[in-house]
Amino acid sequence: MRTPGLQEAFQDRVEQHKKILYKVCGAYCRDRDSREDLAQEIMVQLWRSFEKFDGRCQFSTWMYRIALNVAISFYRSEGARKRHVFSDEQRLLEAVVEPERQPEEVHLLYEFIALLDPLNRALMLLYLDGNTYQEIAGIVGISETNVATKISRLKSKMKEELGTKKT
Amino acid sequence: MDLDVLKEKWAEQDRKLDASIRLNRQLLVAAKMNRLLWPLRRFSILTGIGVFTALIVLVILGRFIHTHWAEPRFALPAVSLHIWVIAYIAASIRQMAMALQIDYDKPIVLIQKQIESLRALRLRVIRWALLTGQLVWWIPFLVVALEGLWDVDAYKVLGVRFLSINVAMSLALIPAAIWISRKFADRAERSTAGQRLMRELAGYNLAAASGFLATLSEFEQESRN
């Protein structure tokens, strides 16, 4: 049963980890309205599952799993999706610093992430955020060895794709 | 261009993000969140209504078959409808059971497999329903409805020839529909719904779902290279 205390606890937790929402939406969607659409879908799933969150894992790990699962499904069904246009009051998430004013290196990273398939995007985001191979393996559902191999391949791919660009 | 160097820049940017992202807490209110859950519940509710309606149809058809068991010209069309409705109910229940198992809190590869398997099942059911539906819900339905509702023998009123030609045309329509949909699947640009229908008839969306399931299996496997 959802109590008022639960709502406030949910708001506080999400506020603490809003960066996860921002980064996942930025990695899986190009335009502002799609990012907002995805943010709201992630929020709904987080709310739906929040009652069951028992603290056995870190909240960030739990939030990443849900956010990435929703994002991958969203990305794969984008062609069939009804487009929404949001007014400023309807927006859940807004960056004061717009992507084009981000540091060049971060912009390049998002460019590289956009070249990846949805599964490797998840790996890349988790790695960039400083998660250990063990944590990444737990979120993604593959072995640690597999994570290490894939990250190594992503590093090589990055050198190939962006090697000529200068920072 | 070293990823580990860029990772440092990412971490620097990350430290500033809290101050530069605004979250609209007014949208994180339970009432608004619960309203947004409605589209997710809609699938279960609509499927439930569909199954309930189909069960009623099943009972009605069952009584008709029982009454006309000694008359194959009525019993056979009714049995074909009956089988179609049973298959529809079974497919719907299976979809609901699969949907209930999806918990976004679980590891990505596991959940994406479940989601894509559900999507593949749904696409198979839609394709099957579109291609066979016109076969059973035209002439067999007409024969059963005329006899069941108004005591009208369709074989006498419309003639065996008319009924046979229409059944043959319905059968021929199946490969024709697949051919047309493959030809025009990528051209129905004005209508997203039209394009989706074409792609589902042609099996393209099902092929995409199967492809992603294969991708997930490959992703899960450790490469020895």
Side-chain angles (χ1 to χ4, degrees), chain A residues 47 66 95 144:
Chain A
W47 174 239
I66 293 176
E144 273 184 63

Side-chain angles (χ1 to χ4, degrees), chain B residues 62-181:
Chain B
R63 288 178 62 182
F64 182 93
I65 292 167
H66 183 258
T67 310
H68 295 84
W69 188 244
E71 301 171 279
R73 62 208 178 107
F74 294 122
L76 284 174
V79 165
S80 69
L81 280 165
H82 209 242
I83 291 170
W84 196 95
V85 173
I86 289 172
Y88 167 80
I89 291 171
S92 299
I93 290 172
R94 193 165 163 219
Q95 285 180 73
M96 278 176 74
M98 285 174 77
L100 284 170
Q101 284 178 2
I102 292 172
D103 179 358
Y104 281 84
D105 181 20
K106 296 282 182 294
I108 290 172
V109 170
L110 173 68
I111 293 307
Q112 293 305 317
K113 273 186 183 171
Q114 288 181 348
I115 291 171
E116 209 63 20
S117 298
L118 175 57
R119 185 175 284 148
L121 172 63
R122 193 182 61 81
L123 289 168
R124 258 185 232 112
V125 168
I126 290 171
R127 194 165 185 243
W128 156 80
L130 287 172
L131 293 176
T132 63
Q134 47 84 27
L135 187 61
V136 297
W137 290 100
W138 171 217
I139 296 300
F141 175 72
L142 187 66
V143 167
V144 169
L146 285 174
E147 173 67 15
L149 293 171
W150 297 290
D151 244 339
V152 171
D153 186 338
Y155 294 93
K156 288 183 182 157
V157 168
L158 298 168
V160 174
R161 191 157 177 260
F162 171 84
L163 297 175
S164 308
I165 289 171
N166 272 273
V167 169
M169 281 177 64
S170 294
L171 274 168
L173 199 58
I174 294 173
I178 294 171
W179 181 82
I180 291 168
S181 62

Side-chain angles (χ1 to χ4, degrees), chain A residues 1-2 6 10 14 40-53 62 66 70, chain B residues 30 33-34 36-44 96 98-105 111 115:
Chain A
M1 186 165 160
R2 299 183 193 275
L6 190 76
F10 178 73
V14 170
Q40 294 201 14
E41 285 209 21
I42 292 172
M43 201 53 62
V44 166
Q45 288 296 345
L46 288 171
W47 174 239
R48 201 177 172 207
S49 305
F50 187 62
E51 245 182 328
K52 291 186 290 175
F53 175 65
W62 177 85
I66 293 176
V70 174
Chain B
M33 293 277 106
N34 290 336
L36 290 174
L37 279 169
W38 162 243
L40 297 171
R41 291 190 184 124
R42 188 172 50 197
F43 170 73
S44 304
M96 278 176 74
M98 285 174 77
L100 284 170
Q101 284 178 2
I102 292 172
D103 179 358
Y104 281 84
D105 181 20
I111 293 307
I115 291 171

Side-chain angles (χ1 to χ4, degrees), chain A residues 3-19:
Chain A
T3 61
L6 190 76
Q7 177 186 294
E8 204 174 315
F10 178 73
Q11 287 173 336
D12 290 343
R13 292 281 207 154
V14 170
E15 178 81 51
Q16 260 182 306
H17 296 89
K18 60 188 174 185
K19 290 188 295 191

Side-chain angles (χ1 to χ4, degrees), chain B residues 1-20:
Chain B
M1 186 66 52
D2 190 87
L3 180 56
D4 290 320
V5 169
L6 292 178
K7 194 178 168 189
E8 291 296 321
K9 296 290 181 186
W10 178 275
E12 262 178 49
Q13 174 72 0
D14 202 59
R15 286 188 276 275
K16 298 177 199 167
L17 266 182
D18 270 324
S20 58

